[in-house]
Amino acid sequence: MTATLPTTAAPATRRPSRGPRGLTWAVLRLHRTALVFWGLALTAATAALIWMYVIGDEARSGLSSCAEPTAADGLPSCASVEAITADDTYRAVLSLIAASLSYAIFLVAAWAGGALIGRELESGTARLAWTQSVSPARWLAAKLAVPAVLITAGTGAVALVNLWARGDDDPNLVGDWYYPDVFVATGPTAVAYPLAGLALGALAALLLHRALPAAGMGFAAALVLYNVLERLREDLWPKATRTATGSLEMPRSVFVADWDATATDGVRHIRVTYHPQSHFWPLQYVETGLLLALAAAAALAAFALLRRRTP
């Protein structure tokens, strides 16, 4: 009688799990609090901007009705309290969104220097990761790439929704195009500034290897960059020039850079250099290019510094 051996079932083939794995998953999991905060902030900003788009017509209606005087007493003929309230709300929320996008560089720089890079270098968890078949360069690349993708996608989406919600771009409601907050929040600079802050914060962390000092140094570097570019912005593209004799009125839509008046033989000569609104996009592209070049230079310096300090 032949004995039959029990057959063993073939091991089940494990299906590859979906979703981010490896270093990407480690970065997302380690900084999940910041990720949740970022997601909530983007959701809140998007919801607020959609609401502004909905009340946009009512806000413009309230603004125009309050600007036109009645024939009877010469006072504004504001149509309704609701229209005035919509006008104030629309202006306030769009100003808040523009300021948030404009100042995102400071939060990103401080977070990158303190929590993203500095804390791991200070606590030694970075060296522990380097002993787990993860090279220092690959570790830093993941640390920078994951936030960069999230920042680009999130900030870019909010900037596009912001442009959509602004409606007809009435400066009485949304501010003139050359206001610092409005300028940064309505073009590709809205993405370039946080990316520059990310690279500056990472470089600060690799220089100091301590979380709090690196956060402060990253914030300070972002502050200097923001103010320097704000001062140099008018010189990033050739200005137009206009001359006149006697008097000269410039439309509100132009950004006046310099106004010079001289008198010769009792005749007043005026020379104005300015940026018309058509210069908005050239100025945006030049400033964005400078920011991205600086971000790339800071990132390369961070990799070079890491390579020098690690075996």
Side-chain angles (χ1 to χ4, degrees):
M1 188 174 182
T2 306
T4 58
L5 297 175
T7 58
T8 57
T13 304
R14 175 179 293 182
R15 293 182 179 180
S17 58
R18 297 180 180 179
R21 311 307 299 169
L23 282 176
T24 302
W25 174 251
V27 173
L28 292 174
R29 181 173 178 80
L30 184 61
H31 300 283
R32 57 186 178 275
T33 302
L35 180 61
V36 170
F37 173 80
W38 179 245
L40 291 176
L42 294 179
T43 302
T46 303
L49 288 171
I50 292 174
W51 178 35
M52 293 306 98
Y53 179 80
V54 171
I55 69 171
D57 290 338
E58 188 176 358
R60 285 182 284 276
S61 164
L63 180 68
S64 61
S65 64
C66 287
E68 297 175 1
T70 60
D73 52 13
L75 297 175
S77 58
C78 297
S80 65
V81 175
E82 290 79 6
I84 303 172
T85 304
D87 170 16
D88 294 338
T89 303
Y90 187 86
R91 184 186 293 110
V93 172
L94 286 186
S95 297
L96 178 62
I97 297 294
S100 300
L101 286 171
S102 179
Y103 301 147
I105 179 177
F106 306 123
L107 293 176
V108 171
W111 172 75
L116 182 68
I117 306 292
R119 186 175 63 185
E120 293 200 36
L121 291 173
E122 184 177 10
S123 64
T125 55
R127 291 192 174 277
L128 178 63
W130 301 340
T131 63
Q132 307 297 318
S133 301
V134 176
S135 66
R138 188 175 165 219
W139 170 84
L140 181 58
K143 286 288 182 181
L144 292 178
V146 175
V149 170
L150 294 175
I151 288 171
T152 301
T155 310
V158 172
L160 290 174
V161 178
N162 182 37
L163 283 172
W164 169 72
R166 290 166 64 89
D168 56 5
D169 203 25
D170 187 341
N172 291 312
L173 282 171
V174 300
D176 292 285
W177 66 270
Y178 47 81
Y179 284 1
D181 291 358
V182 175
F183 182 86
V184 172
T186 52
T189 51
V191 177
Y193 268 102
L195 291 177
L198 176 67
L200 290 173
L203 179 59
L206 286 162
L207 283 170
L208 301 178
H209 278 231
R210 296 181 62 190
L212 287 179
M217 184 177 178
F219 183 91
L223 184 63
V224 170
L225 173 65
Y226 186 91
N227 283 281
V228 167
L229 284 180
E230 183 179 335
R231 289 180 178 275
L232 296 179
R233 183 168 296 143
E234 66 183 57
D235 299 318
L236 296 179
W237 192 257
K239 295 183 281 286
T241 302
R242 187 174 176 183
T243 59
T245 301
S247 63
L248 175 63
E249 291 186 3
M250 300 295 291
R252 177 177 175 176
S253 61
V254 305
F255 169 41
V256 176
D258 185 52
W259 186 293
D260 184 32
T262 58
T264 305
D265 298 329
V267 179
R268 188 167 180 256
H269 301 280
I270 301 172
R271 182 177 182 274
V272 179
T273 56
Y274 64 96
H275 285 292
Q277 193 166 5
S278 60
H279 286 187
F280 172 81
W281 286 111
L283 288 168
Q284 279 279 340
Y285 294 143
V286 173
E287 189 164 338
T288 299
L290 290 175
L291 287 165
L292 294 180
L294 177 64
L300 290 174
F303 278 101
L305 189 60
L306 180 65
R307 186 164 49 249
R308 285 185 58 186
R309 293 187 175 183
T310 54

